[in-house]
Amino acid sequence: MFSMPRVTRIGVFTSGGDSPGMNAAIRAVVRTAINEGMDVFGIYRGYEGMIDGQIEQMERHSVSNIIQRGGTILKSARSKRFMTYEGRLQAYQSLEKFKINGLVAIGGNGTFTGAQQFEKEFNIPVVGLPGTIDNDLYGTDFTIGFDTASNTVVQAADKIRDTATSHDRLFFIEVMGRDAGYLALWSGVAAGAEFILVPETKTYIDNITRLLKHDMRKNKTSGIVIVAEGDDMGGAYDIARQVKERLPEIDARVTVLGHVQRGGSPTVQDRILASWTGFEAVHALIEGKSSVMVGIEDKKITFTSFEDAINKKKNFNFGGLELARILAL
Ligand code: F6P
């Protein structure tokens, strides 16, 4: 006797901060599901739209011409209402109307925290895709959007380097990363930054000024400091001010890159990561998996429980900070 697969009607949504490659992930989920004979529905504005029933059936053509586009055609939001039981119950009732019996959640920590709770309470299987520029999820080497954001930072830093050199200035460039310094580290090494300041390590301003003096003695007249917004000594403006107090002779400038890092056409790496994990997410639901995030580690597909993806600390390459410093001398 054949048993009916549990999941036949999938809902897909993007939630939390958007990231380049989310559209490629939506495309992969929609087309894989249709290819498997399933019905697939787009849920708009993340958990907010799930609560409000902003749900539409998607066809193959609904995801035409989006693989190259940044942002998310399904839109995204952070939902306070979904943090309450009433909100989640309403979301469940919306899904029931469309007979949706499986979900693919594309997002980061907050998205998976909500998904885990929802699955426990309403027994709807959820598989996650890592969509965030922060790359702070355990269980995947990279998250969807991180590579594009790193390239955006490096392109900006290269341009800033031109003017920094012309004017003999020290630039403090603030990049995103409220709690994580992966974007700062990766882009800082690639941009040849003199210093990289991240939340994962304690920042000592005196140490920076001592090394800057050393650089000046070696006739270095300009430089770049990449500051993750969540650094323990503050953002780029705070750090620049503290350095300036100790070294008034330095001509310092600050650039905050902000949300420019969240947009743009996804790189090849992000498109492939999104397409491959999106495909695997649908198959995972068919196989009965739930409350897991699909990732890629060492070029192999991995499934990590939401519990671990959210709570375990991903390996941070502290050596990269030292590497940047040595190579910048
Ligand atoms: O996407 C993650 C992230 O970029 C964090 O690094 C940043 O602090 C946050 O989102 C800001 O997002 P928003 O402006 O959407 O609140």
Side-chain angles (χ1 to χ4, degrees):
M1 257 228 351
F2 293 104
S3 61
M4 277 285 285
R6 190 172 161 215
V7 178
T8 49
R9 291 164 76 85
I10 291 184
V12 57
F13 63 97
T14 47
S15 160
D18 62 351
S19 68
M22 279 185 161
N23 279 329
I26 296 166
R27 172 180 178 268
V29 170
V30 169
R31 292 203 169 153
T32 306
I34 291 172
N35 196 49
E36 291 295 333
M38 299 163 129
D39 289 318
V40 57
F41 298 83
I43 302 169
Y44 288 85
R45 295 185 178 77
Y47 294 120
E48 281 292 287
M50 199 184 288
I51 293 169
D52 295 333
Q54 294 174 341
I55 299 172
E56 265 175 26
Q57 180 147 16
M58 301 192 87
E59 309 295 344
R60 298 189 75 85
H61 66 79
S62 316
V63 291
S64 297
N65 202 14
I66 65 165
I67 193 169
Q68 77 283 17
R69 282 167 56 192
T72 157
I73 58 161
L74 291 177
K75 301 188 179 282
S76 194
R78 301 183 201 272
S79 176
K80 285 222 164 64
R81 288 189 291 162
F82 199 76
M83 290 176 186
T84 66
Y85 179 77
E86 291 68 35
R88 292 192 294 275
L89 177 63
Q90 237 179 297
Y92 174 68
Q93 287 162 348
S94 304
L95 297 183
E96 264 196 321
K97 276 192 203 137
F98 290 84
K99 298 191 170 59
I100 292 172
N101 50 17
L103 291 170
V104 176
I106 308 170
N109 274 313
T111 307
F112 298 159
T113 306
Q116 197 184 19
Q117 184 69 21
F118 191 65
E119 199 259 4
K120 269 192 210 141
E121 287 167 349
F122 300 101
N123 196 28
I124 294 223
V126 192
V127 170
L129 294 184
T132 163
I133 65 162
D134 290 341
N135 200 29
D136 57 348
L137 291 166
Y138 178 87
T140 188
D141 291 338
F142 298 107
T143 54
I144 299 164
F146 173 70
D147 187 58
T148 309
S150 302
N151 278 285
T152 301
V153 173
V154 170
Q155 281 164 17
D158 288 350
K159 288 178 181 161
I160 289 171
R161 176 81 71 185
D162 291 343
T163 178
T165 313
S166 305
H167 287 269
D168 292 337
R169 280 175 173 158
L170 181 66
F171 268 85
F172 293 82
I173 304 177
E174 184 177 302
V175 305
M176 278 191 166
R178 203 171 16 202
D179 309 304
Y182 299 95
L183 181 58
L185 173 67
W186 206 250
S187 56
V189 171
E194 274 66 22
F195 298 96
I196 302 170
L197 311 182
V198 292
E200 286 79 0
T201 58
K202 178 123 194 55
T203 295
Y204 297 98
I205 303 289
D206 288 336
N207 202 18
I208 299 172
T209 49
R210 185 177 55 78
L211 291 166
L212 281 172
K213 277 188 200 154
H214 173 260
D215 286 356
M216 281 147 76
R217 279 197 301 275
K218 292 185 111 186
N219 291 331
K220 200 169 176 108
T221 54
S222 64
I224 283 179
V225 183
I226 300 277
V227 183
E229 63 178 332
D231 187 76
D232 62 308
M233 291 308 278
Y237 277 104
D238 302 309
I239 309 261
R241 182 183 40 77
Q242 294 172 73
V243 168
K244 196 89 175 122
E245 277 164 14
R246 291 164 175 80
L247 278 181
E249 65 271 34
I250 274 192
D251 192 4
R253 291 289 188 277
V254 174
T255 303
V256 177
L257 294 182
H259 288 78
V260 72
Q261 297 160 93
R262 289 247 292 260
S265 178
T267 58
V268 171
Q269 181 172 316
D270 279 331
R271 294 182 198 198
I272 289 174
L273 177 61
S275 301
W276 192 5
T277 52
F279 171 86
E280 292 290 344
V282 174
H283 287 280
L285 280 173
I286 293 170
E287 287 159 19
K289 291 193 174 69
S290 183
S291 271
V292 290
M293 179 195 82
V294 189
I296 298 182
E297 286 183 317
D298 291 332
K299 302 192 181 82
K300 286 189 194 74
I301 286 289
T302 54
F303 297 95
T304 306
S305 66
F306 281 155
E307 188 72 30
D308 285 353
I310 301 161
N311 297 315
K312 283 199 177 167
K313 186 80 188 142
K314 184 183 190 137
N315 182 34
F316 188 85
N317 187 354
F318 292 97
L321 302 174
E322 184 58 14
L323 172 75
R325 180 69 206 145
I326 292 168
L327 299 187
L329 280 176

